[in-house]
Amino acid sequence: MAVLPDDTADWSTVVAGDWLKDALEGLRNPHNAHSKAHPGAELKAQLRPYQQDGVQWLWWLHRLGLGGCLADDMGLGKTVQVIALLLLAKQEADPGPHLLVLPASLIGNWQAEMARFAPTLRIFVAHSSAQPSKTLATLPAGQLAEWDVVITSYGNLIRLPWLLEIHWSLVVLDEAQAIKNPGARQTQAAKALKSRVRFALTGTPVENRLGDLWSLFDFICPGLLGSDKTFSRFARLLEQDERLGYAPLRKLVQPYILRRLKSDKRIIADLPDKTEVKAYCVLSRLQASLYQQAVDALAQQIESLDGIARRGAVLAFLMRFKQICNHPSQWLGDGAYAPDDSGKFARLRELAEAIAARQEKVLIFTQFQEMTGPAMDDK
């Protein structure tokens, strides 16, 4: 890298041309864009102004072939903004396939949200909860051409090598703090994905240390923050500079990260009094097995019962279904309560971790008091 002499540096300057000036403005201030990116009637949702800005920003990055991190607070609608982006891509002759990578416990939630907000998107779920494992292991890549979006889990990036062989148009990681550890196998697999554009979604871009931010940007914009070692030295220099602090780092990453907080009065003023978001959970294998056994047992019983006895059996089994869905141990009574045996436990842990990272408070309600002890122990 050549260094300009001091006398040259004093009078030299760089001025962005019209195209670059517009591109930078679109990244830094999406709400000032001349034309708004909106998928129209195919999106079955009314975007709030800050969500429209988010879609505009995502679409502008997509058009430029750049990656980015949508880091809005939980509950501000990151999912619907990405769904709008996927609809725009389909309308603008970029049909994909696109890849969504998320924790297994969120697959059902994304399926439901896409069916609700974008029923025209063709979705393929590359996960054992939707497809036989043997079918997934040998799936020909050519079969994916008929789908707009492929949804899979972080674990499947390791188990299904063909995911790393396909050249995706767009790759989106949800709960992207899952790749904060650069040495983890799933992190390395995510970074090995081939794609034109990459986006990361997370409400906590920095959970414990600045290295979390480096790992995120090593996925969305490889090379922007240098190597892990180079960034560590850079971070130490920033910590030692009391005058500048982290301002140079914020300026460097600002075009590639969009973060809105619920504490922002401009956002709060635009939000309704109450927002309800359903979080769907996938049954663990043990839960699914016990649930099916209960369904079969109920089917046998109701064939031989009638009247009040039949209604009593149905009510008893409804209670059993609820307990199995909470945790197999609640129905079995074995006291084990292994965290991995419950889809609800897994989803609750993810929600609680995100809330704890922001040092916020949470209230958890349950119909069964006996579940409070095991659920808190899992935290």
PDB file of all heavy atoms in Angstrom, residues 21 34 222:
ATOM      1  N   LYS A  21     -22.021   8.868  -4.729  1.00  0.00           N
ATOM      2  CA  LYS A  21     -22.682   9.711  -3.734  1.00  0.00           C
ATOM      3  C   LYS A  21     -24.089   9.199  -3.445  1.00  0.00           C
ATOM      4  O   LYS A  21     -24.519   9.094  -2.286  1.00  0.00           O
ATOM      5  CB  LYS A  21     -22.735  11.159  -4.227  1.00  0.00           C
ATOM      6  CG  LYS A  21     -23.324  12.139  -3.219  1.00  0.00           C
ATOM      7  CD  LYS A  21     -23.297  13.561  -3.775  1.00  0.00           C
ATOM      8  CE  LYS A  21     -23.905  14.537  -2.779  1.00  0.00           C
ATOM      9  NZ  LYS A  21     -23.886  15.930  -3.321  1.00  0.00           N
ATOM     10  N   HIS A  34     -34.898   8.127  -3.194  1.00  0.00           N
ATOM     11  CA  HIS A  34     -35.813   8.769  -4.148  1.00  0.00           C
ATOM     12  C   HIS A  34     -37.000   7.865  -4.473  1.00  0.00           C
ATOM     13  O   HIS A  34     -38.126   8.329  -4.624  1.00  0.00           O
ATOM     14  CB  HIS A  34     -35.056   9.135  -5.432  1.00  0.00           C
ATOM     15  CG  HIS A  34     -33.937  10.105  -5.203  1.00  0.00           C
ATOM     16  ND1 HIS A  34     -34.141  11.361  -4.676  1.00  0.00           N
ATOM     17  CD2 HIS A  34     -32.594   9.991  -5.408  1.00  0.00           C
ATOM     18  CE1 HIS A  34     -32.980  12.002  -4.587  1.00  0.00           C
ATOM     19  NE2 HIS A  34     -32.025  11.188  -5.020  1.00  0.00           N
ATOM     20  N   PRO A 222     -16.664 -10.136   4.062  1.00  0.00           N
ATOM     21  CA  PRO A 222     -15.332 -10.678   4.361  1.00  0.00           C
ATOM     22  C   PRO A 222     -14.230  -9.696   3.970  1.00  0.00           C
ATOM     23  O   PRO A 222     -14.244  -9.133   2.873  1.00  0.00           O
ATOM     24  CB  PRO A 222     -15.274 -11.947   3.505  1.00  0.00           C
ATOM     25  CG  PRO A 222     -16.695 -12.321   3.268  1.00  0.00           C
ATOM     26  CD  PRO A 222     -17.443 -11.031   3.179  1.00  0.00           C
TER      27      PRO A 222
END
